[in-house]
Amino acid sequence: MTAYAWYALILFVVVYVFNFIDRQIVSILAESIKADLKLDDAQIGFLYGTAFAVFYSLFGIPLGRLADSWYRGRLMAIGLALWSSMTAMSGFAQSFGMLATARIGVGIGEASASPAAYSMIADYFPKERRATALSIYSSGLYIGGGIALPIGGYVLAEWGRRFPDALSAPLGLAPWQAAFLAVGLPGLVLAAWIWSLREPLRGAIDGHPSDIVRPNAWSEFGRELAAILPPLTLISAARLGVLVPNLIALAVCAAGAFALATLTGDWPQWIAWWTGIYAIFSWTQSLKRRDPATHRLLWGTPMVVTLTIAFGSISFMTYAVAFWIPPYVLRTFYTGPTDAAMIMQGVTAAEEVSTIFGWSAAAASAIGVILGGIVSDKLRQRHAAGRLYVNMAAIILPAPAVFFLFTTDNLANFYIVAPYVGLCSALWVGAAIATLQDVVLPRMRGTAGATYVLGTSLVGLALGRISPGRSLR
């Protein structure tokens, strides 16, 4: 390890903080967006979960493959510039469709970050320190997710105080629109900084050095896109001689989407989710023909498939709890985001929730994810499956406290217990990523990172944000 490795890691953490600020801020803005655009919980869940997660997952695969064959720092910088621009564009949305389009753009841009970062961190840090380094990187997830709430709450309140009439506000922006602009624009500056990072030599730290850039990286990226984006998937399948199973999978997914959409009445959610499932099947069939070694290690190994589903299932609970807590608290203990605070003086309910819950969750979760990484590295030295014990603890330890949060009628007790949930729920992340990075070759690390993102997004992010009903209480 070198000082430059730690410098790069700190920059990656900052990128991840921006990543999750742009992603999580919808949570504290949800009630205001609903009121202005006349949306319901299902549409808010779609904007925050499915619209983002499906494209985040699908583009994560080809971008992860590109990270295995091109400059990872430059790829991350391009993605950061894209998602920051689309977050800022969310501030000009005037309808559900416009906001959904912007959120899709955020998902596509953010898909570049983690696969590239995972791969570079694995080349900067030796295996015995890898979970710790990856956990430090992952702390950005919780720091960004936590401070997004106070930033969003502050902009909502301050903009509303300064411009009570939206017609008099600059550009006619409502408070929630100003919040999107406030968190989106700074990312463009950070993107230029990330572009300057030096690339570590692939695999050198593990004794398997290989070129940073492989020939035909972008043409391969085009083939990956064709293999995963409908309807290009049909052309790709026909060229590879797997059109029949591809059509069968398409029919099964169409039937699944129709059945669940009819049952729930939530057509956008289930059409998007099942489209994602079909696209992943199509891509795995293509990968099996074009890169059988990578397919064998990722999709032909029961352990990797099981871990991907397991990590997605853990993230389902953590995403669901983290996203719905602010709306739940605002509806259960207050009458709305502009209501008077109950603990802090001179602020609104949204500011109080975002400040108390946001900052405490950010601090506790950041501590939890780093602690989990350190413990998992130590357990890994004693037992091959040591890191999995940390994942088990992250499931068991917070469960009673989560039950308490959603049944208590005491707001003070809610705020006291919430940080414990955040700390325990974050223990698993670094250990999970390091586990997958350890079982693949250096040239496959970006793809392995994208596979991890696939599980946590399509299972956790997309489904964990589905509205629990018309009322959260």
Side-chain angles (χ1 to χ4, degrees):
M1 292 182 295
T2 65
Y4 194 86
W6 286 104
Y7 161 74
L9 179 60
I10 291 169
L11 269 186
F12 294 154
V13 172
V14 175
V15 171
Y16 215 7
V17 168
F18 273 71
N19 183 303
F20 255 75
I21 288 175
D22 292 357
R23 191 185 309 188
Q24 185 72 14
I25 196 169
V26 176
S27 179
I28 196 64
L29 304 181
E31 294 299 294
S32 298
I33 295 171
K34 282 176 60 180
D36 275 8
L37 299 185
K38 304 297 187 290
L39 307 183
D40 57 26
D41 280 343
Q43 289 172 304
I44 289 292
F46 177 80
L47 287 172
Y48 195 83
T50 312
F52 174 92
V54 169
F55 285 87
Y56 181 65
S57 303
L58 297 191
F59 276 82
I61 293 294
L63 288 169
R65 296 281 285 172
L66 184 58
D68 285 332
S69 58
W70 197 62
Y71 298 104
R72 293 161 287 184
R74 294 182 187 180
L75 179 61
M76 190 184 300
I78 293 170
L80 174 55
L82 174 60
W83 90 63
S84 297
S85 299
M86 297 307 291
T87 298
M89 288 298 295
S90 300
F92 297 101
Q94 299 292 330
S95 66
F96 173 73
M98 292 175 66
L99 194 51
T101 300
R103 295 302 297 173
I104 288 169
V106 174
I108 293 171
E110 290 195 3
S112 66
S114 286
Y118 296 153
S119 178
M120 292 179 76
I121 290 170
D123 283 333
Y124 275 129
F125 292 86
K127 184 176 291 189
E128 60 270 16
R129 296 289 184 87
R130 200 163 285 158
T132 300
L134 287 166
S135 294
I136 293 173
Y137 168 70
S138 298
S139 69
L141 179 161
Y142 297 101
I143 297 171
I147 67 176
L149 302 183
I151 290 173
Y154 173 78
V155 175
L156 273 179
E158 189 63 23
W159 194 269
R161 279 192 286 264
R162 289 176 179 268
F163 309 104
D165 181 5
L167 295 177
S168 66
L171 303 177
L173 297 176
W176 63 269
Q177 293 174 312
F180 277 125
L181 281 171
V183 300
L185 294 178
L188 298 175
V189 178
L190 181 60
W193 194 354
I194 294 298
W195 186 275
S196 69
L197 276 177
R198 296 200 308 264
E199 288 270 339
L201 187 62
R202 291 184 194 275
I205 201 166
D206 292 324
H208 303 288
S210 60
D211 293 336
I212 293 174
V213 178
R214 296 209 300 264
N216 304 316
W218 283 94
S219 60
E220 284 294 327
F221 173 69
R223 280 190 280 272
E224 296 290 343
L225 278 179
I228 203 167
L229 290 183
L232 298 178
T233 50
L234 298 176
I235 299 173
S236 176
R239 288 176 177 172
L240 294 171
V242 291
L243 182 59
V244 172
N246 192 282
L247 289 172
I248 293 173
L250 177 59
V252 170
C253 291
F258 180 81
L260 286 173
T262 301
L263 181 65
T264 64
D266 194 350
W267 288 87
Q269 161 72 32
W270 293 113
I271 289 174
W273 192 80
W274 279 101
T275 298
I277 297 298
Y278 160 71
I280 295 306
F281 174 85
S282 178
W283 176 75
T284 58
Q285 293 299 298
S286 172
L287 183 68
K288 187 175 183 179
R289 293 298 182 97
R290 293 181 294 107
D291 191 349
T294 299
H295 182 272
R296 270 197 307 273
L297 270 178
L298 291 179
W299 296 96
T301 306
M303 178 188 69
V304 175
V305 174
T306 302
L307 286 176
T308 301
I309 296 172
F311 298 151
S313 299
I314 299 174
S315 69
F316 174 87
M317 291 302 302
T318 56
Y319 274 128
V321 171
F323 176 73
W324 287 110
I325 276 181
Y328 172 84
V329 173
L330 286 172
R331 298 181 200 183
T332 303
F333 299 103
Y334 308 88
T335 59
T338 58
D339 193 16
M342 298 180 65
I343 296 176
M344 302 170 62
Q345 298 208 346
V347 299
T348 65
E351 288 177 287
E352 179 168 280
V353 173
S354 61
T355 300
I356 298 178
F357 173 71
W359 284 112
S360 64
S365 299
I367 293 170
V369 70
I370 295 173
L371 178 64
I374 294 171
V375 172
S376 72
D377 272 339
K378 292 186 179 299
L379 291 176
R380 173 69 172 77
Q381 294 172 13
R382 298 183 181 182
H383 192 278
R387 285 178 177 148
L388 297 181
Y389 299 146
V390 175
N391 289 273
M392 294 165 62
I395 300 170
I396 297 169
L397 293 178
V402 171
F403 177 81
F404 173 83
L405 287 184
F406 289 101
T407 55
T408 183
D409 292 320
N410 187 296
L411 179 61
N413 288 340
F414 188 100
Y415 284 139
I416 290 171
V417 174
Y420 170 80
V421 173
L423 187 147
C424 295
S425 298
L427 292 170
W428 67 280
V429 179
I433 301 164
T435 300
L436 286 178
Q437 293 290 316
D438 286 349
V439 299
V440 299
L441 298 174
R443 75 172 185 86
M444 303 172 184
R445 283 175 176 157
T447 309
T451 301
Y452 164 81
V453 168
L454 179 68
T456 57
S457 298
L458 270 187
V459 178
L461 182 57
L463 299 181
R465 295 323 205 271
I466 296 175
S467 166
R470 290 289 176 186
S471 173
L472 290 173
R473 182 75 170 179

